[in-house]
């Protein structure tokens, strides 16, 4: 028999099919599916993790192992447990060179993970870290598309680009101008007025001095 798991996009996780090899495994995956349906993603991830441990390093179960790793990562992602999600997704990528579908979905999921992180940083108006997360998300989406030109991944990439335009760019401030000695005090630079070197800084303590604060 087969069990269908989660579906991936910006808001949900990837569809993965597992071939069941035993009644015990079938029961575990049924419980994981129930946990997902109840939005108990941490419990689902733990069930997948237990299944991974039970299979050990059996090379005959390599595809099943990596699907379990992918599903564990996806469940942790839904639970917003980003560190654990990234751990399982990276293992699934590194150990599934023969299984392009798993690699593509894991890369897409990592793109989603950093998409979420970018949004979280934007909510804090932390533009620098948001841009770093955005760059990582874009890289993962592009790597996923190189393996599988999936429409949902392309949509995720387009959504990410829209996010940058709509959320990040309006938060970026740019200060530029000219500093000069205004000899005639008219507020306009003229050719006979010397330009001056200057440092632009945020005067956090309002003392008029450029210092460590």
């Amino acid at each position: 028999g087969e069990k269908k798991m989660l579906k991936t996009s910006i808001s949900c996780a990837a569809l993965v099919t597992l071939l069941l090899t035993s009644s015990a495994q079938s029961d575990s995956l049924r419980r994981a599916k129930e946990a997902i349906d109840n939005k108990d993603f941490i419990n689902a991830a733990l069930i997948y993790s237990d299944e991974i441990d039970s299979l050990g390093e059996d090379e005959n179960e390599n595809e099943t192992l990596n699907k379990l790793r992918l599903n564990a990562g996806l469940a942790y992602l839904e639970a917003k447990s980003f560190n654990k999600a990234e751990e399982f997704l990276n293992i699934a990528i590194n150990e599934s060179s023969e299984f392009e579908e798993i690699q593509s979905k894991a890369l897409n999921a990592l793109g989603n993970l950093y998409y979420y992180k970018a949004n979280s940083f934007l909510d804090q108006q932390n533009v620098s870290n948001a841009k770093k997360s955005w760059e990582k998300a874009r890289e993962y989406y592009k790597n996923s598309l190189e393996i599988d030109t999936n429409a949902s991944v392309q949509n995720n990439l387009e959504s990410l680009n829209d996010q940058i335009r709509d959320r990040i760019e309006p938060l970026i401030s740019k200060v530029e101008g000219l500093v000069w000695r205004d000899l005639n005090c008219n507020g306009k630079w003229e050719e006979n007025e010397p330009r001056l070197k200057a440092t632009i800084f945020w005067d956090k303590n309002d003392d008029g001095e450029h210092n460590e604060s």
Side-chain angles (χ1 to χ4, degrees):
E2 293 184 349
K3 284 279 184 181
K4 289 186 176 180
M5 307 271 160
L6 308 155
K7 183 175 182 182
T8 220
S9 71
I10 290 301
S11 58
C12 39
L15 177 65
V16 174
T17 300
L18 287 175
L19 298 176
L20 307 182
T21 57
S22 70
S23 59
Q25 190 178 78
S26 176
D27 181 64
S28 295
L29 298 180
R30 178 187 57 77
R31 290 188 293 109
K33 178 64 166 57
E34 289 176 355
I36 291 164
D37 290 341
N38 293 325
K39 299 189 182 303
D40 186 1
F41 298 111
I42 289 292
N43 188 36
L46 292 173
I47 294 171
Y48 291 135
S49 182
D50 287 342
E51 280 299 307
I52 292 167
D53 292 339
S54 71
L55 289 176
E57 299 298 327
D58 187 346
E59 292 185 1
N60 294 323
E61 298 287 356
N62 194 29
E63 183 174 9
T64 300
L65 266 172
N66 284 302
K67 286 182 176 180
L68 286 166
R69 288 164 177 152
L70 174 58
N71 278 358
L74 294 170
Y76 277 123
L77 179 58
E78 285 295 318
K80 301 298 187 290
S81 182
F82 294 143
N83 289 339
K84 294 294 291 184
E86 191 165 10
E87 175 187 344
F88 277 94
L89 292 170
N90 276 319
I91 293 173
I93 291 168
N94 293 334
E95 298 296 329
S96 61
S97 58
E98 299 176 9
F99 310 109
E100 290 187 348
E101 180 185 7
I102 295 174
Q103 283 199 322
S104 178
K105 288 181 176 178
L107 287 164
N108 181 45
L110 284 169
N112 291 349
L113 187 155
Y114 277 93
Y115 183 103
Y116 294 143
K117 282 189 173 185
N119 272 309
S120 178
F121 284 127
L122 284 173
D123 289 341
Q124 305 165 37
Q125 293 196 343
N126 186 336
V127 178
S128 177
N129 282 336
K131 289 180 70 177
K132 291 176 184 176
S133 294
W134 173 76
E135 289 292 347
K136 283 191 173 183
R138 186 168 65 170
E139 180 180 355
Y140 283 126
Y141 287 144
K142 286 184 174 180
N143 288 342
S144 179
L145 284 169
E146 287 179 2
I147 298 172
D148 180 9
T149 54
N150 187 296
S152 67
V153 182
Q154 183 63 46
N155 289 337
N156 286 352
L157 181 57
E158 291 173 0
S159 177
L160 182 66
N161 289 329
D162 289 342
Q163 178 197 76
I164 298 305
R165 185 189 65 240
D166 297 338
R167 295 203 64 192
I168 290 183
E169 289 182 355
L171 294 175
I172 298 175
S173 299
K174 184 177 182 180
V175 179
E176 60 182 10
L178 176 66
V179 179
W180 76 97
R181 188 177 303 281
D182 192 6
L183 297 176
N184 58 9
C185 301
N186 68 352
K188 298 179 181 179
W189 177 75
E190 297 175 359
E191 290 185 1
N192 65 321
E193 294 175 329
R195 297 188 182 191
L196 304 176
K197 292 183 179 181
T199 299
I200 298 173
F201 63 95
W202 179 8
D203 191 10
K204 290 183 179 180
N205 59 4
D206 294 321
D207 66 353
E209 299 289 338
H210 182 213
N211 47 53
E212 292 183 357
S213 66

